[in-house]
Amino acid sequence: MDEFRFELALCSYLESETGAIVARQLGGAVAEPGARIVDVVVLQPGRSFERRAQLSPKAIPTRAIESDVGAGQAVPRRNVFEGTSRGRRIVETAIEAGYFQLERRDGKAWLRATARYPDDWYDRLTAIENKPDLGSPGDLDDQITHDVALGLFDEVVLATASYVTRAHLNRLPEPVGVWQFDPETGERTVVREPSRLPVDDPGIEPTDRHPLRTDVAVVAPGEKRRKRLTIAERAYGKGWRPSLEAYPACAHADATGDCRPYCGQFGHVVDPGTDCGTDCPSFTPGSRPTCDPTEVRADRSPWIADPPGAVRKQAGLDRFIPREGDPGDERLSKSN
């Protein structure tokens, strides 16, 4: 079974059956960012989920959330992140997401958060490693060991289409849950329930492996909390479906009801990033599918594509909004 097809089928199942936010291909390392990419992340909504959903459909940068820019008082833009190039990118991303609002006072730029950020908007993060065929496990042992030792996610699960034997279970760390999933029928069998990991304790992250030793880094609880917030934000903003632009303009291109890319010529879900394009021998120029991933995601999950926006709900904001004809009345995209 192709891992991409397996992964998207599992994402669709989890989205429809759990009422959670499902995303794929997110970073799961702290000391060595990018060293561990988690196949699927499931975010269970917390008590303040609706407040977060009203802020923005996009991911909000963690550094913007942790910055001195708050909802009650504007801060000079030049003071935020000391005007570094990375800081400017964070500010622009936060403005684009609708979390920061840019204001003009006497020709100078000020920033203010559109609302207070909720602390408890997500409840649980589950990391899922997909190995459709346990006969070709690849780096499964290292990946699972990394996740358990670091304890960044509340739960870690192995999902497979293979028959799971006692020998398979004995090779896995005890806290790891195991699911047997049939991507064709959408049936899932829980072979072993996952155990909760100590996310509030220090974690151990393998950073480099040698024949006779493994180098590790101790990750403090505060670092883990920050990374968990980053993962939650990226999961909320990204989701699991390919963007509409990724779908090929091919006569054979189609989409399933849940908006997975489908090829009519080959009769199955395909990865448009690797399977499609002019290099495909069956490529025939045509139109992209009409399926809208954004609309389908909003219909099938708690994610809100177009929230009303926190700005309009706050009282007294008119004192911050430039009046028509004011020199500071500019579009945000042209602001510095």
Side-chain angles (χ1 to χ4, degrees), residues 118-131:
D119 294 328
D120 54 354
W121 69 272
Y122 68 92
D123 178 48
R124 186 169 76 250
L125 295 175
T126 300
I128 302 174
E129 182 64 26
N130 296 321
K131 292 296 177 186

Side-chain angles (χ1 to χ4, degrees), residues 154-172:
D154 297 274
E155 298 171 343
V156 175
V157 171
L158 166 66
T160 182
S162 297
Y163 176 74
V164 181
T165 67
R166 177 58 58 184
H168 289 136
L169 292 177
N170 289 340
R171 286 182 55 190
L172 298 172

Side-chain angles (χ1 to χ4, degrees), residues 149-301:
L150 180 55
L152 186 61
F153 295 87
D154 297 274
E155 298 171 343
V156 175
V157 171
L158 166 66
T160 182
S162 297
Y163 176 74
V164 181
T165 67
R166 177 58 58 184
H168 289 136
L169 292 177
N170 289 340
R171 286 182 55 190
L172 298 172
E174 189 173 341
V176 177
V178 180
W179 297 343
Q180 191 174 12
F181 178 71
D182 186 335
E184 302 301 330
T185 64
E187 295 181 2
R188 180 186 62 153
T189 300
V190 178
V191 179
R192 185 169 77 187
E193 290 282 2
S195 300
R196 281 294 187 104
L197 296 175
V199 296
D200 294 324
D201 294 345
I204 303 298
E205 179 177 330
T207 57
D208 198 8
R209 288 179 170 84
H210 304 274
L212 298 178
R213 76 172 197 276
T214 298
D215 297 336
V216 301
V218 178
V219 180
E223 295 177 282
K224 288 170 61 173
R225 283 193 295 270
R226 172 178 288 183
K227 184 65 177 185
R228 282 168 58 82
L229 177 59
T230 298
I231 292 170
E233 278 294 333
R234 290 179 177 170
Y236 189 83
K238 182 180 181 182
W240 59 268
R241 293 174 176 84
S243 65
L244 186 59
E245 293 74 21
Y247 285 64
C250 175
H252 303 300
D254 201 349
T256 60
D258 52 8
C259 215
R260 285 176 286 163
Y262 183 89
C263 178
Q265 178 71 13
F266 294 104
H268 58 69
V269 170
V270 293
D271 181 352
T274 59
D275 300 335
C276 302
T278 55
D279 291 338
C280 174
S282 297
F283 176 79
T284 304
S287 301
R288 285 190 174 89
T290 57
C291 177
D292 184 346
T294 298
E295 181 179 334
V296 174
R297 186 187 184 200
D299 287 342
R300 288 169 52 95
S301 78

Side-chain angles (χ1 to χ4, degrees), residues 54-128:
Q54 292 298 323
L55 285 178
S56 174
K58 300 180 179 181
I60 301 171
T62 302
R63 288 195 62 194
I65 296 168
E66 297 176 340
S67 72
D68 294 333
V69 180
Q73 183 176 356
V75 176
R77 176 169 178 164
R78 65 177 180 273
N79 294 349
V80 179
F81 308 124
E82 300 179 351
T84 62
S85 58
R86 183 186 178 195
R88 286 192 292 272
R89 289 195 298 271
I90 293 170
V91 168
E92 292 299 331
T93 301
I95 291 174
E96 183 180 352
Y99 181 64
F100 280 176
Q101 182 180 19
L102 183 67
E103 304 161 0
R104 291 285 181 176
R105 301 180 185 179
D106 299 326
K108 297 180 180 180
W110 295 65
L111 293 172
R112 185 178 53 78
T114 57
R116 287 181 175 83
Y117 188 86
D119 294 328
D120 54 354
W121 69 272
Y122 68 92
D123 178 48
R124 186 169 76 250
L125 295 175
T126 300
I128 302 174

